[in-house]
Amino acid sequence: MITLKMTLRRMLSERRRSNNKLSRALSSSQIHHASRTTWSPPLVSLDLLDDCSSTFTHSHAAPIQKCTANDNARIIDGRSAAEEIKSSIAIEVSRMKESIGKVPGLAVILVGRGQDSLAYVRNKIMACHEVGFKFSIAELPENCTEEEVCDALSNYNKDASIHGILVQLPLPQHFDAGKILNVLSLEKDVDGFHTLNIGNLAIQGREPLFIPCTAKGCIELLLRSDVEIVGKRAVVIGRSNIVGLPTFLLLQRHHATVSIVHAYSENPEIIAREADILVAAAGVPNLVRGSWLKPGAVVLDVGINPIEDPESEHGYRLIGDVCFKEAVRIASAVTPVPGGVGPMTVAMLLLNTLEAAKRALHFP
Amino acid sequence: MITLKMTLRRMLSERRRSNNKLSRALSSSQIHHASRTTWSPPLVSLDLLDDCSSTFTHSHAAPIQKCTANDNARIIDGRSAAEEIKSSIAIEVSRMKESIGKVPGLAVILVGRGQDSLAYVRNKIMACHEVGFKFSIAELPENCTEEEVCDALSNYNKDASIHGILVQLPLPQHFDAGKILNVLSLEKDVDGFHTLNIGNLAIQGREPLFIPCTAKGCIELLLRSDVEIVGKRAVVIGRSNIVGLPTFLLLQRHHATVSIVHAYSENPEIIAREADILVAAAGVPNLVRGSWLKPGAVVLDVGINPIEDPESEHGYRLIGDVCFKEAVRIASAVTPVPGGVGPMTVAMLLLNTLEAAKRALHFP
């Protein structure tokens, strides 16, 4: 069987040639810059904050491009923000390696070979390689047992060279995802889906060890784009455990007034139109039309939907949940698909893994 | 020191004389009725529901009184609903006692002697006595250590005659409430505040062992009043860990489109006015005026605020977060304070404790 590992070996060897661009790009002046830019303020402090607004102004705005002369919206460039974050992480990894001879390690458990899952895992492997993380993968067949998945998890739980573990979701339907995720060591739950991490994200005054990556990436983009969150109306479309729920919880911790719209919601477009900040995470291509947007809203499009396109190289292309062409005429800022929230999700996974490694290795 | 136990002994002896009214009130025809009426459908089934609306129509509406000839709103009578639920619980307790010679046991840990806490604990003791539960209390001085509280908790964790334990909140400020609550055995967490219970309430597809009592009481009142929840706009004012957060999570599991308003929210009255169902849990007397309400909204008032009143027996009376006089002219239904959500909270605590006991004793 040609495994994902084998396929990736070739890709990585190609990638290696252009891979040093990151380190070349890093000047000493950037090192100081990087150490203070990459992550949001701690959550507990947010809960206790009396006057929040000042803490949210970042000294550097995220890279934002104007779309075209005819459009109003700024395009929030997630790819570029993610590259910047990865650069900062790469510096930290070098520092760690030089100082204690160790690097952060990420492990992925992949059950079956769903095309989407393979693509996501490939992205993660490449990203780990870019920043200098160790990467390990346990590939299990679609028809494996829950016990086998839990065994693989337990092995990684015990492996001191692995600091972050994720189970690539979705799992085949016959699995109890909750049961499996809770076998995962809380200290290595870099996806942030462990019940205790979600509980601690929900409860005011607590601080989860990890925040789910897409939610964290969304907030990071808002903060880097100098979007005011405190007191603003935010609407999250979609209430998945992976994106909608944690994004709701995180926006609320940043003191937005948040509503969640879902399949049962009546008049979703009216509710969406109330949003100063709209997060679309329904998985429905072009669901959010221009008429769903309040003029001047900031729109984060989490959807990644493949649609047929004979003109593109692979016969399909990716579009978001938001009708981009219409959104750029109404919104004040919008993330593109691809190149918006997607790259930030991977960057946040790396960031969580770096944090996990620092914590485990007592590395400041 | 005159302890709460001693004060209560006298109160209980007085209460005992009129206490048999509950059992007298229970006819055999009510037994069948009781066994199918008291609790909401399981949560996981709600998550998976394709067509929910039909499951939410209760065969019996909750007792609702018309306010006065001039007012529009029905008054949702929480006291009467709570009495009905307690009657059902008392029957279950009798059945348990006859069948296996055991009764549910509830333990409270009380730190310090805050007047509010004392009043709440008194209510709980009386309620336990009414339905035939065993009750135990550990009273600790205000200046006790976290370790002493945890020791008291551990003792109750091990005590097989105790099926539900709660730590009376708020704890003195120097305590880490989260740490203490998590010492509590998950199977005895009848307040539902353990991180795993909150996490499982937040995550779709999971079922927490216990749902926090006020949130559960609110939903129970809506269901008993035949209020449609699915797809409706619900606004929760206040985002406390004890009320606002779990009520948000529970309303969402019942497929409402929910928003949370809090101290940082801009224009809270405009957001409140969008609500078909409004839950006021801010702890601010008369915060919600008539102008905050959508005509025909259903209003649940969780606030219990003492205000000075020289004409009343104790020099004060209790009012809610909602300006009742104005609300009854705009809303379609409203809970009074006192006599609305408050009694339901205690009834739900008893219900959670009964469920805990049944689970522990394998009693069907």
Side-chain angles (χ1 to χ4, degrees):
Chain A
M1 187 176 88
I2 297 177
T3 66
L4 187 63
K5 265 184 200 161
M6 292 157 73
T7 320
L8 279 160
R9 205 170 297 145
R10 186 181 51 78
M11 292 168 67
L12 285 174
S13 123
E14 286 166 13
R15 186 84 172 199
R16 207 163 287 137
R17 287 193 290 277
S18 61
N19 197 37
N20 283 328
K21 69 175 181 185
L22 260 180
S23 30
R24 280 199 303 272
L26 302 172
S27 72
S28 61
S29 69
Q30 280 175 309
I31 291 177
H32 173 68
H33 173 74
S35 66
R36 62 181 168 79
T37 61
T38 42
W39 32 101
S40 320
L43 292 173
V44 167
S45 67
L46 280 178
D47 284 333
L48 303 173
L49 229 50
D50 280 329
D51 175 14
C52 304
S53 46
S54 63
T55 68
F56 291 152
T57 53
H58 272 233
S59 55
H60 69 298
I64 288 180
Q65 303 164 350
K66 196 93 175 90
C67 187
T68 78
N70 293 329
D71 303 325
N72 296 316
R74 299 178 300 169
I75 307 302
I76 300 176
D77 182 354
R79 192 170 282 140
S80 158
E83 287 302 320
E84 193 188 307
I85 291 167
K86 285 193 282 184
S87 300
S88 311
I89 294 172
I91 294 167
E92 288 293 279
V93 174
S94 301
R95 192 168 71 84
M96 186 182 271
K97 197 171 181 178
E98 277 165 28
S99 167
I100 57 171
K102 290 180 178 170
V103 297
L106 176 68
V108 171
I109 292 173
L110 175 65
V111 180
R113 297 180 62 79
Q115 284 308 309
D116 284 357
S117 292
L118 284 174
Y120 286 129
V121 170
R122 257 182 233 122
N123 282 344
K124 286 165 189 169
I125 298 180
M126 303 302 259
C128 280
H129 193 72
E130 276 184 70
V131 298
F133 283 9
K134 172 185 170 175
F135 184 87
S136 177
I137 184 166
E139 291 185 74
L140 296 165
E142 177 93 15
N143 61 355
C144 71
T145 63
E146 260 181 33
E147 206 182 355
E148 287 172 292
V149 179
C150 291
D151 283 350
L153 263 178
S154 299
N155 287 338
Y156 282 135
N157 278 346
K158 285 178 237 150
D159 185 341
S161 72
I162 293 298
H163 309 99
I165 308 169
L166 64 89
V167 179
Q168 186 63 45
L169 298 175
L171 284 166
Q173 283 210 331
H174 61 287
F175 284 104
D176 178 347
K179 192 177 140 197
I180 290 173
L181 289 175
N182 287 341
V183 170
L184 200 159
S185 156
L186 192 63
E187 289 72 25
K188 299 189 179 187
D189 174 35
V190 285
D191 252 348
F193 297 149
H194 192 292
T195 314
L196 284 172
N197 269 325
I198 292 289
N200 281 327
L201 182 61
I203 298 170
Q204 276 195 80
R206 305 277 184 84
E207 190 136 14
L209 284 180
F210 303 100
I211 295 168
C213 304
T214 304
K216 190 169 175 173
C218 285
I219 299 294
E220 198 64 40
L221 280 180
L222 294 176
L223 296 176
R224 287 172 164 261
S225 306
D226 286 333
V227 174
E228 205 183 332
I229 307 176
V230 180
K232 296 298 172 196
R233 295 291 298 269
V235 172
V236 178
I237 302 180
R239 55 172 168 170
S240 67
N241 293 332
I242 296 175
V243 181
L245 170 72
T247 305
F248 162 83
L249 295 171
L250 195 53
L251 278 166
Q252 182 169 263
R253 290 191 89 138
H254 282 260
H255 305 297
T257 306
V258 199
S259 312
I260 292 203
V261 166
H262 48 76
Y264 289 95
S265 296
E266 293 173 3
N267 307 314
E269 68 285 6
I270 293 176
I271 304 166
R273 210 155 47 227
E274 292 160 5
D276 301 304
I277 297 163
L278 184 77
V279 180
V284 180
N286 284 341
L287 172 72
V288 177
R289 306 298 301 265
S291 60
W292 288 43
L293 301 177
K294 177 178 177 174
V298 174
V299 180
L300 302 180
D301 190 351
V302 181
I304 301 181
N305 310 291
I307 57 156
E308 279 188 23
D309 181 2
E311 286 175 25
S312 97
E313 190 187 349
H314 302 288
Y316 73 94
R317 64 190 170 91
L318 298 176
I319 64 167
D321 287 359
V322 177
C323 181
F324 188 77
K325 270 197 255 179
E326 294 178 7
V328 288
R329 293 185 161 78
I330 314 279
S332 66
V334 60
T335 59
V337 175
V341 176
M344 285 299 281
T345 299
V346 178
M348 293 301 115
L349 175 66
L350 299 175
L351 198 52
N352 280 352
T353 307
L354 174 66
E355 284 171 10
K358 284 185 166 186
R359 210 178 278 139
L361 300 168
H362 307 289
F363 184 77
Chain B
M1 186 176 87
I2 296 178
T3 65
L4 186 62
K5 266 184 200 162
M6 292 158 72
T7 320
L8 279 161
R9 207 171 296 147
R10 187 182 49 77
M11 291 169 68
L12 284 174
S13 122
E14 285 167 15
R15 185 83 171 198
R16 206 163 287 136
R17 287 193 289 277
S18 61
N19 197 35
N20 284 326
K21 69 174 181 185
L22 259 181
S23 30
R24 279 201 302 274
L26 303 172
S27 70
S28 60
S29 68
Q30 279 175 310
I31 292 177
H32 172 68
H33 174 72
S35 64
R36 62 181 170 81
T37 62
T38 42
W39 33 99
S40 320
L43 291 174
V44 167
S45 68
L46 280 177
D47 284 333
L48 303 173
L49 228 49
D50 279 328
D51 175 15
C52 304
S53 48
S54 63
T55 69
F56 291 153
T57 53
H58 271 232
S59 54
H60 69 295
I64 289 179
Q65 302 164 350
K66 196 93 178 91
C67 188
T68 78
N70 292 330
D71 303 323
N72 296 315
R74 300 178 300 169
I75 308 302
I76 300 176
D77 182 354
R79 191 171 282 139
S80 159
E83 286 303 320
E84 193 187 307
I85 291 167
K86 286 193 281 185
S87 300
S88 309
I89 293 172
I91 293 168
E92 288 291 281
V93 174
S94 301
R95 193 168 69 86
M96 186 182 272
K97 197 171 183 179
E98 278 165 28
S99 167
I100 56 171
K102 290 178 176 170
V103 298
L106 176 69
V108 171
I109 292 174
L110 176 66
V111 180
R113 296 179 62 78
Q115 284 309 307
D116 283 358
S117 293
L118 284 174
Y120 285 129
V121 171
R122 259 183 231 120
N123 281 344
K124 287 165 189 168
I125 299 179
M126 303 301 255
C128 280
H129 193 73
E130 275 183 72
V131 297
F133 282 9
K134 172 183 170 175
F135 185 88
S136 177
I137 184 165
E139 292 184 75
L140 296 165
E142 178 93 14
N143 61 356
C144 71
T145 62
E146 260 180 30
E147 205 182 357
E148 288 173 292
V149 179
C150 290
D151 283 350
L153 262 178
S154 299
N155 288 338
Y156 282 136
N157 278 346
K158 286 178 234 150
D159 185 340
S161 72
I162 293 298
H163 309 98
I165 308 169
L166 64 90
V167 180
Q168 187 63 45
L169 299 175
L171 283 166
Q173 284 209 331
H174 62 286
F175 283 104
D176 179 348
K179 190 176 142 198
I180 290 172
L181 287 177
N182 286 342
V183 170
L184 200 160
S185 156
L186 190 65
E187 288 72 27
K188 298 188 178 186
D189 173 36
V190 286
D191 253 348
F193 296 149
H194 192 292
T195 314
L196 283 173
N197 269 325
I198 293 290
N200 282 327
L201 182 60
I203 298 170
Q204 276 194 79
R206 306 278 185 86
E207 190 135 15
L209 284 179
F210 302 101
I211 295 169
C213 304
T214 304
K216 189 170 175 172
C218 285
I219 299 292
E220 198 64 39
L221 281 179
L222 293 176
L223 296 176
R224 288 172 164 261
S225 306
D226 286 332
V227 174
E228 205 183 330
I229 307 176
V230 181
K232 297 297 172 196
R233 296 289 300 267
V235 173
V236 178
I237 301 180
R239 55 172 168 170
S240 67
N241 293 333
I242 297 174
V243 181
L245 170 71
T247 305
F248 162 82
L249 294 172
L250 195 53
L251 278 166
Q252 181 169 263
R253 290 192 85 137
H254 282 259
H255 305 297
T257 304
V258 199
S259 312
I260 293 202
V261 166
H262 48 76
Y264 289 96
S265 296
E266 293 173 4
N267 306 314
E269 69 283 7
I270 293 176
I271 304 166
R273 209 153 50 224
E274 291 160 6
D276 301 304
I277 298 163
L278 185 79
V279 180
V284 180
N286 283 340
L287 173 72
V288 177
R289 307 297 302 264
S291 61
W292 288 41
L293 302 177
K294 177 179 177 175
V298 174
V299 180
L300 302 181
D301 189 351
V302 181
I304 301 179
N305 310 292
I307 57 159
E308 279 189 22
D309 180 3
E311 285 176 25
S312 95
E313 190 187 350
H314 303 286
Y316 74 94
R317 63 189 169 91
L318 298 175
I319 64 166
D321 287 358
V322 177
C323 181
F324 188 77
K325 270 198 254 177
E326 294 178 8
V328 289
R329 291 186 164 77
I330 314 278
S332 65
V334 59
T335 60
V337 176
V341 176
M344 284 299 281
T345 299
V346 178
M348 293 301 115
L349 174 66
L350 299 175
L351 198 51
N352 280 352
T353 307
L354 174 65
E355 283 171 11
K358 283 184 167 186
R359 210 178 278 140
L361 300 168
H362 307 289
F363 184 77

